[in-house]
Amino acid sequence: MPRLLGIDAGSTVTKSVLFDLDGNVLASASRRVALSYPAPHHVERDQDELWDAVVATVRELLQGTGTAGTDVVAVGVTSHGDGVYLVDADGRPTRPGIMSLDTRARSLVQRWESSGVSDRAQDLAGQRPWPSAPGALLAWLWENEPDVVAATRWALPAKDALRQRLTGVFSTEPTEASLSFTNVTTQRYDDAVLDLYGLANLGILLPPVIPCAEISGTVTEEAAALTGLAAGTPVAAGAHDVDCAALGTGVVAPGTTSVVAGTFSINQVVSTGPRTSSDWCARNFVLDRHWMNMAISPTSATNMEWFAQQMCAADLARGAVAGDAFGFVEHEISAVETTPSEIIYLPFLFGSPLPHDASASFIGLRGWHTRGDLLRAVMEGVAFNHRHHIDALDTAFESTVVRLTGGASKSPRWCQIFADVLDRPVEVTTASEAGALGVSLLAGIATGVYADLADATSRTIRIAARYEPRPHAVETLDRLYARFRALTAALAPVWAS
């Protein structure tokens, strides 16, 4: 029976997922890949360990399901965007991969902001540089690690470094190419963008660009021996993971907002023309002459994971035994749901969308509050930050419904909070692994399994639940959101100092 294989190398967990041609998950396997913090603001991971995780999960998946390598008709690979992975001419790493959570280039970006470079980048490239963008990181590496850059042949996105190990081919595709180096109008590499960042002599490091839904290469004999895949299996070019998450929830055209509530707060809408603003990145979508407009910050459901790990260790341990690690969250919030929300949580543990170095806070905490009140505040604070981004997108793009995926989508209570905070319906699809499904659909199109994106999504995307905004909750949470905004404004000079 034919299968599609989607590989999704996220910021902490790498997954391989096997799908049938109707988009159903047949099996999945995952491995955590450790992050390292060699200096303040530096977040990296070992490229070989990441590849080993891909090999292990693919082999486990095939062996565990009794799937022959020849049953896999195509492979797609996706991973976190931004960051950069440097390799030599043979594909060997010249340094650890730099993650999208890395902020080592923050002072460089601040210089670009004050010198006008960021303003010109917004007009030319459709986005202002930020510390983990490939352009900022390459400029930082050129200043601080010139010997490493000199030994490097290719500067790759994470998923393209993995795809090269599968196929032996160095390339990227439009969504990843647009993370720093393309002209927002032409959607192609532009020397003027490289010049803007002082990288004119490093353009040679950028890989060739091929369409997302085309075959980029085939599985090599060496990769086949390691993974259990059949040599010669087609591998699609793929796409940036947030684009794949949109595809995996059926967002392929204007009118619907794709929201990913995971490590990052991802809020994005497709458009058929470029619109630029300091509030979002206008990047290439998987379809030519389409743009994915992304308003993002590292401020989403990872806040709940942090809180649970730091404040709820015993409950997590009991849940792991019972098979429901976060069940206690629902129990404790239920106990306070009839009491008013009084605590505002600012979800800035790992960064913020604000122009200063904001930090996380609980504000309004009193002696009578319980852990349930704090858990509810985390859910609301995360949703408020998503609204901050979506309000900006609403100034230029029309959207009537939200498709939600990521960790928050697994909690019905949190989904309802999103609907109430955003005051629009929130839909959750049956796709438990939206990113892996999205890149599998691209692989299916590349090999003729599906005629096009419309065919692929009509066959595979199904709505599991729809949450309508509740008028009384909308009114309450709108007042709390105004307080959230007032607090971020009031704290600005404190954070700046």
Side-chain angles (χ1 to χ4, degrees), residues 73-330:
V73 296
V75 179
V77 186
T78 189
S79 186
H80 72 84
D82 293 296
V84 69
Y85 288 60
L86 304 186
V87 300
D88 64 19
D90 297 319
R92 295 297 308 148
T94 57
R95 69 171 329 284
I98 301 179
M99 303 294 294
S100 57
L101 295 169
D102 191 284
T103 57
R104 73 185 68 192
R106 67 201 183 285
S107 60
L108 174 61
V109 171
Q110 289 168 356
R111 295 205 308 265
W112 286 347
E113 285 286 338
S114 60
S115 67
V117 167
S118 295
D119 292 330
R120 296 195 296 275
Q122 181 180 308
D123 294 336
L124 183 61
Q127 58 198 312
R128 305 178 79 83
W130 63 316
S132 68
L137 289 171
L138 273 183
W140 187 93
L141 289 165
W142 182 239
E143 287 185 7
N144 294 275
E145 298 182 13
D147 292 344
V148 170
V149 176
T152 296
R153 176 61 187 88
W154 300 105
L156 300 173
K159 71 113 168 45
D160 295 318
L162 292 172
R163 194 162 47 76
Q164 187 276 327
R165 295 213 188 191
L166 274 173
T167 65
V169 177
F170 296 95
S171 65
T172 190
E173 41 67 40
T175 69
E176 298 272 25
S178 69
L179 300 187
S180 279
F181 305 113
T182 58
N183 182 298
V184 69
T185 302
T186 67
Q187 299 187 304
R188 305 293 185 265
Y189 285 146
D190 192 325
D191 290 340
V193 179
L194 289 165
D195 290 343
L196 188 60
Y197 297 145
L199 298 173
N201 57 335
L202 297 185
I204 192 174
L205 302 183
L206 303 183
V209 180
I210 61 176
C212 298
E214 289 193 5
I215 297 171
S216 65
T218 60
V219 174
T220 64
E221 294 282 355
E222 180 182 2
L226 291 170
T227 61
L229 293 166
T233 301
V235 180
H240 182 194
D241 65 348
V242 298
D243 289 89
C244 289
L247 299 183
T249 55
V251 180
V252 296
T256 300
T257 301
S258 167
V259 172
V260 185
T263 301
F264 272 69
S265 168
I266 308 292
N267 312 273
Q268 51 190 4
V269 291
V270 177
S271 67
T272 54
R275 299 283 298 274
T276 64
S277 167
S278 60
D279 291 323
W280 63 79
C281 302
R283 293 173 167 176
N284 297 342
F285 189 46
V286 298
L287 296 171
D288 193 33
R289 307 310 298 168
H290 286 67
W291 285 258
M292 181 60 92
N293 305 279
M294 305 175 183
I296 62 178
S297 57
T299 53
S300 195
T302 191
N303 281 270
M304 180 63 79
E305 182 179 357
W306 173 87
F307 185 89
Q309 290 173 345
Q310 299 300 322
M311 312 300 178
C312 317
D315 297 277
L316 282 176
R318 283 193 292 271
V321 174
D324 183 13
F326 287 92
F328 72 93
V329 174
E330 177 65 26

Side-chain angles (χ1 to χ4, degrees), residues 415-433:
C415 292
Q416 185 62 58
I417 287 173
F418 268 88
D420 297 334
V421 167
L422 301 177
D423 193 17
R424 70 193 70 184
V426 168
E427 296 176 341
V428 177
T429 70
T430 57
S432 58
E433 301 293 348

Side-chain angles (χ1 to χ4, degrees), residues 329-330 379 404 406-417 467:
V329 174
E330 177 65 26
M379 286 188 172
L404 179 64
S409 69
K410 296 175 172 57
S411 164
R413 181 180 297 277
W414 214 343
C415 292
Q416 185 62 58
I417 287 173
Y467 300 85

